[in-house]
Amino acid sequence: MQFEHTQFTLGFRQALEYGIDYRDYEKVDRLPDGILLMAIAGVWGDYSGIRCLFIDETGQTYRRHITGRAGQYIIRELDLNAKEMEVGQVVVADNG
């Protein structure tokens, strides 16, 4: 999958300019366990929250809201800081 944007973290308006509207993504409290997911973008809502967007192999999209502080926005089931993720990065959640 090709993306026009290269930076993972984007402002809401910036995301819309790339055609990314997270409001249609399924909102989840945890990413699905054991499924390959591709990172699309992290859209800032405010300075303490980021909406991380993912897509699976079937085209299902997921929105995981992460709150953070001191520059750390840890997606627990991935053990990754959302600010360090890359567009197109493939991940697998471990909810165990």
Side-chain angles (χ1 to χ4, degrees), residues 46-87:
D46 54 37
Y47 291 109
S48 65
I50 186 171
R51 288 147 184 91
C52 297
L53 310 177
F54 298 90
I55 190 168
D56 68 18
E57 294 176 307
T58 68
Q60 174 65 44
T61 55
Y62 303 93
R63 172 176 37 132
R64 175 79 161 85
H65 184 257
I66 303 296
T67 56
R69 60 181 211 231
Q72 298 297 309
Y73 296 83
I74 305 299
I75 305 171
R76 290 184 306 274
E77 61 272 30
L78 299 178
D79 195 30
L80 291 172
N81 184 346
K83 286 182 65 176
E84 297 173 359
M85 293 196 68
E86 298 180 15
V87 174

Side-chain angles (χ1 to χ4, degrees), residues 4-6 10 15-16 18 24-25 35-36 41 45 49 57-58 65 70 74-75 79-80 85 92-93 95:
E4 291 182 31
H5 61 290
T6 56
L10 306 167
L16 287 178
Y18 286 113
D24 293 335
Y25 286 56
I35 296 175
L36 285 175
E57 294 176 307
T58 68
H65 184 257
I74 305 299
I75 305 171
D79 195 30
L80 291 172
M85 293 196 68
V92 178
N95 293 311

Side-chain angles (χ1 to χ4, degrees), residues 20-54:
I20 302 167
D21 186 349
Y22 67 78
R23 295 173 290 189
D24 293 335
Y25 286 56
E26 180 183 348
K27 184 180 179 182
V28 295
D29 293 327
R30 295 180 80 60
L31 294 170
D33 196 33
I35 296 175
L36 285 175
L37 300 170
M38 181 180 290
I40 297 173
V43 182
W44 291 110
D46 54 37
Y47 291 109
S48 65
I50 186 171
R51 288 147 184 91
C52 297
L53 310 177
F54 298 90

